[in-house]
Amino acid sequence: MKDENFLKANNARSLWHPMTAPADSLANPPTIITGGEGVRIRDIDGHEVVDGVGGLWNVNLGYSCQPVKAAIAAQLDRLPYYSIFRGTSNDAVIELSEELRTFFAPDGLTRAFYTSGGSDSVETALRLARQYHKIRGEAGRVKFLSLKKGYHGTHIGGASVNGNANFRTQYEPLLPGCFHIPAPFPFRNPFNEADPARLAQLCLQALEDEIAFQGAGTIAAFIMEPILGAGGVIPPHSSFMPGVEAICRKHGILLIADEVITAFGRTGAWTGSRLWGVKPDFACTAKAITNAYFPFGAVMISDRVAEVFERDDTGRAAIGHGYTYSGHPVGAAAALATLAETKRLNVKDNAAARGAEVMAGLQALMAKYAVIGDVRGGHGLMNAIELVGDRAAKSAPDKAAAGKVQAVAYQAGAMVRVSGPNIILSPPLVLTSADVQVILTALDAGFAAL
Ligand SMILES: Cc1ncc(COP(=O)(O)O)c(C=O)c1O
């Protein structure tokens, strides 16, 4: 490895960082992370903090998960790669598929299609949804519906169903035939409705209205995150996703659950769909499926959809889609080991218990600091703090405020993430109560410094 001076001097000189302007990375050189252990990361200056971001919602088991590291190393020795395109397979991916089938059985999802990450998984689900209708002779069902404020990755299909202008405007025109309905977001919504249950009903009515307007026979699928993550951690009322499911069923529209963040325990349930008692047609997964140690994903497919493909006699069911790294044996080995550890440690229960502590702590901070307009969470380890200029007016905060909280919190012992006016928390699911207190104390220091 090059020395420290070389790394600091060249930091953002020869690479562009995702999700920021190149000039910003040059003006504000990124923190260089050089080590990780347990739930802590260490930077190039030796400063160590609790990772309140959990990598990027994906290091659920922390940075020292030896069984996953060992599985990757062993698979690299045995078979570092072989494709699963038509005619070949590998042993690791077959074993993983059986494990995933068991894990997702309560969600009614029994087949896997493998990808290299979340955006790939979303793209796969959107494409297979259209194909499902074509196989069934409803070729006109091509449109997609989704939620404003939703996040579905950055491929053209995913960006088109995204509900945040930041990921859309500079890349337009996007895919035609994508339409958005209001998110069930009590703090800000076009209905001016703060009651979560009533708002859920209004958003469901908006969905019915949009379906009537477009014509159900033109719509392939509705895609949503069970809890909206990147859009600012927005847990819908418990009636919302079941309501969406019922409307989709009534109109023959497939339901895609984007579980890239929520699968594998983050919400305090094993999947976000299960949290709400919903059985989607597809579930997009990635991120924590390998504890972040290998880029990998899986789209889980329901029996109902699978049977249409598997029993096809029209010749339209050949899947003209897939990635070189679909079913990568090293990714599969990593996922097998991750799944075993995820279940052994029962991380969903720890996520629920620690998440309750985080939420209580954030509510206490809100009582203390007027700049906090809203705190969100309440389902496992995904939380957001929304900063405001004026609480009653819900006006935008000082542009520098969230960054300042983050910088001071980092010095005080915790890495947190800034996204627009929100500070987002998505720590590893193996967090202890003591780690929760480190994060809360660091945030307190951050807000006190404003
Ligand atoms: C809900 C959701 N879908 C899709 C994606 C895209 O995943 P990736 O960045 O692995 O492509 C993300 C990433 O954060 C996500 O949160």
Side-chain angles (χ1 to χ4, degrees):
M1 190 60 74
K2 297 282 190 185
D3 68 27
E4 268 181 40
N5 287 340
F6 173 92
L7 297 171
K8 284 186 177 175
N10 291 298
N11 192 334
R13 194 172 77 97
S14 305
L15 78 151
W16 282 4
H17 288 267
M19 303 299 180
T20 188
D24 180 60
S25 304
L26 289 168
N28 305 293
T31 305
I32 303 171
I33 305 300
T34 54
E37 211 180 309
V39 299
R40 287 173 166 72
I41 48 172
R42 191 170 48 253
D43 69 24
I44 194 164
D45 297 316
H47 183 57
E48 200 172 282
V49 297
V50 170
D51 185 11
V53 191
L56 210 46
W57 319 80
N58 50 356
V59 187
N60 283 10
L61 308 178
Y63 293 89
S64 307
C65 196
Q66 203 50 40
V68 181
K69 296 181 186 184
I72 290 173
Q75 185 62 44
L76 277 171
D77 269 345
R78 209 151 42 82
L79 177 71
Y81 175 74
Y82 211 80
S83 138
I84 64 165
F85 274 28
R86 189 174 86 85
T88 54
S89 191
N90 65 65
D91 50 355
V93 84
I94 297 169
E95 195 180 332
L96 174 62
S97 307
E98 293 306 311
E99 287 296 322
L100 288 176
R101 186 180 188 120
T102 305
F103 186 85
F104 285 99
D107 304 298
L109 302 163
T110 53
R111 316 292 201 280
F113 190 98
Y114 293 103
T115 71
S116 313
S119 298
D120 285 355
S121 291
V122 168
E123 214 67 14
T124 298
L126 296 175
R127 298 185 70 166
L128 293 182
R130 281 185 170 174
Q131 187 170 10
Y132 164 88
H133 293 295
K134 288 192 165 64
I135 296 169
R136 294 180 72 248
E138 288 195 90
R141 283 188 179 266
V142 296
K143 294 176 187 168
F144 299 113
L145 301 181
S146 59
L147 294 178
K148 290 182 181 167
K149 302 195 183 301
Y151 182 73
H152 302 291
T154 52
H155 295 349
I156 287 285
S160 305
V161 293
N162 269 354
N164 183 329
N166 291 346
F167 311 116
R168 300 171 56 87
T169 312
Q170 302 307 325
Y171 306 99
E172 288 174 341
L174 296 168
L175 197 66
C178 297
F179 302 93
H180 299 75
I181 65 159
F185 180 25
F187 189 61
R188 296 181 192 278
N189 61 76
F191 308 106
N192 208 12
E193 176 58 75
D195 178 75
R198 280 203 299 268
L199 177 60
Q201 290 313 305
L202 291 170
C203 294
L204 291 172
Q205 281 167 24
L207 174 59
E208 281 278 23
D209 184 60
E210 190 64 30
I211 292 169
F213 176 66
Q214 298 292 339
T218 70
I219 301 169
F222 181 90
I223 181 168
M224 70 173 280
E225 300 156 271
I227 293 178
L228 284 71
V233 184
I234 302 171
H237 184 260
S238 59
S239 61
F240 184 71
M241 198 171 177
V244 168
E245 181 186 35
I247 291 170
C248 285
R249 294 274 170 270
K250 185 168 80 180
H251 294 292
I253 296 167
L254 295 177
L255 174 59
I256 302 171
D258 185 345
E259 299 250 13
V260 168
I261 287 173
T262 49
F264 308 113
R266 181 154 296 279
T267 67
W270 281 132
T271 69
S273 298
R274 220 174 296 178
L275 178 70
W276 303 132
V278 165
K279 289 193 165 63
D281 296 291
F282 295 97
C284 307
T285 78
K287 291 204 188 259
I289 193 170
T290 57
N291 197 35
Y293 293 4
F294 194 90
F296 196 75
V299 177
M300 296 305 302
I301 302 159
S302 69
D303 269 334
R304 227 159 48 86
V305 170
E307 278 166 16
V308 168
F309 278 75
E310 289 169 6
R311 295 199 183 147
D312 170 68
D313 55 12
T314 67
R316 292 193 285 263
I319 296 174
H321 173 76
Y323 306 99
T324 297
Y325 299 121
S326 287
H328 196 299
V330 180
L336 272 168
T338 301
L339 210 51
E341 277 300 277
T342 297
K343 288 190 290 190
R344 187 182 72 80
L345 297 169
N346 191 18
V347 292
K348 72 171 174 38
D349 287 356
N350 194 55
R354 301 291 80 75
E357 293 169 7
V358 172
M359 192 60 185
L362 297 186
Q363 280 159 344
L365 288 175
M366 183 164 165
K368 194 167 167 188
Y369 297 108
V371 71
I372 300 179
D374 192 26
V375 295
R376 296 189 285 275
H379 302 278
L381 279 168
M382 47 193 304
N383 294 87
I385 305 169
E386 182 166 336
L387 275 59
V388 290
D390 177 83
R391 217 184 245 177
K394 301 183 183 179
S395 55
D398 182 309
K399 260 198 156 93
K404 175 124 197 239
V405 174
Q406 181 196 36
V408 175
Y410 185 71
Q411 287 315 317
M415 174 70 95
V416 299
R417 183 165 166 233
V418 172
S419 173
N422 299 313
I423 291 174
I424 295 190
L425 298 176
S426 50
L429 306 188
V430 292
L431 209 68
T432 64
S433 293
D435 300 325
V436 171
Q437 290 314 314
V438 171
I439 294 174
L440 293 171
T441 305
L443 280 169
D444 199 349
F447 282 107
L450 285 184

